[in-house]
Amino acid sequence: MTNAEAIGPLSTDVLVIGGGPAGTWAAIKAAQAGVDVVLADKGYTGASGATASVGTGIWYVDDVPEQREAAMASREALGGHLAEREWMARVLDETHARMHELGEVQRYPFPVDVNGQPIRNDLQGPEYMRRQRTRVQRLGVRILDPTPTPLRRRRGGPMPGCGRAMHALSITFVRALGLRSPVVTA
């Protein structure tokens, strides 16, 4: 779907607002859980936003306890020891799993080192987001992009882009489309 204004009321289990990395991963995981998913983006999912046009650095550390400990200690020092280890471990776990999935399932072309091992600490935005959109579509997620212009406005002028603007309007968006669902904002 590309014209949300042309469709009538929708029903869905999960509405994801935002089609960047977080939104597409949320849609993928919800669809894999077997629920009906609608993803709404302010632009064309996979081609709008910062990630779609640039390279993205990833905090990827192999699942080796000594390497993870060193990575977390380094980040703690950089952050004035304000970071929480549990959250850092969770980020490393999720990043490791998602990058593995991206390489194995979505066949993302990671560069390789001299030993032929993938280097998973950087993503090329256009290719990454193109693969995310393709996977979302293959999983049967209904994509609404771009969202209707009136839903992306605030009193007195246009709403600045990004998921935060969409988040602020999520309830309006749900009502305008006649959706009855939990809202996931990314």
Side-chain angles (χ1 to χ4, degrees):
M1 287 180 209
T2 57
N3 185 351
E5 293 171 323
I7 60 174
L10 295 173
S11 177
T12 189
D13 297 320
V14 176
L15 171 63
V16 178
I17 308 266
T24 53
W25 280 113
I28 287 167
K29 293 304 164 188
Q32 286 177 330
V35 298
D36 183 56
V37 182
V38 171
L39 185 150
D41 194 13
K42 68 183 178 296
Y44 184 82
T45 300
S48 69
T51 302
S53 62
V54 298
T56 300
I58 304 295
W59 191 33
Y60 180 88
V61 179
D62 284 323
D63 196 10
V64 176
E66 296 80 21
Q67 291 178 6
R68 287 191 172 207
E69 177 57 36
M72 288 191 288
S74 172
R75 292 290 168 112
E76 273 182 326
L78 288 171
H81 298 278
L82 297 175
E84 293 185 30
R85 288 250 167 173
E86 288 180 35
W87 280 106
M88 288 193 290
R90 186 173 176 183
V91 167
L92 288 173
D93 289 345
E94 276 297 309
T95 301
H96 191 270
R98 296 299 74 78
M99 292 306 100
H100 177 76
E101 189 174 339
L102 187 61
E104 300 301 315
V105 176
Q106 294 174 230
R107 306 186 62 75
Y108 182 86
F110 287 105
V112 295
D113 64 17
V114 295
N115 298 317
Q117 296 300 308
I119 302 169
R120 295 182 169 161
N121 63 358
D122 185 60
L123 296 171
Q124 295 304 310
E127 182 63 19
Y128 170 45
M129 292 311 300
R130 183 185 70 76
R131 288 172 188 269
Q132 287 291 90
R133 181 184 177 91
T134 299
R135 186 155 181 220
V136 164
Q137 289 174 314
R138 287 183 179 159
L139 287 168
V141 172
R142 291 175 286 168
I143 299 175
L144 304 178
D145 57 4
T147 57
T149 302
L151 298 178
R152 292 186 286 125
R153 296 186 63 80
R154 65 175 178 202
R155 289 183 196 153
M159 181 68 81
C162 297
R164 289 185 181 144
M166 297 286 295
H167 174 72
L169 295 173
S170 61
I171 300 304
T172 303
F173 185 75
V174 170
R175 289 181 184 143
L177 291 178
L179 290 168
R180 300 200 191 314
S181 83
V183 176
V184 176
T185 57

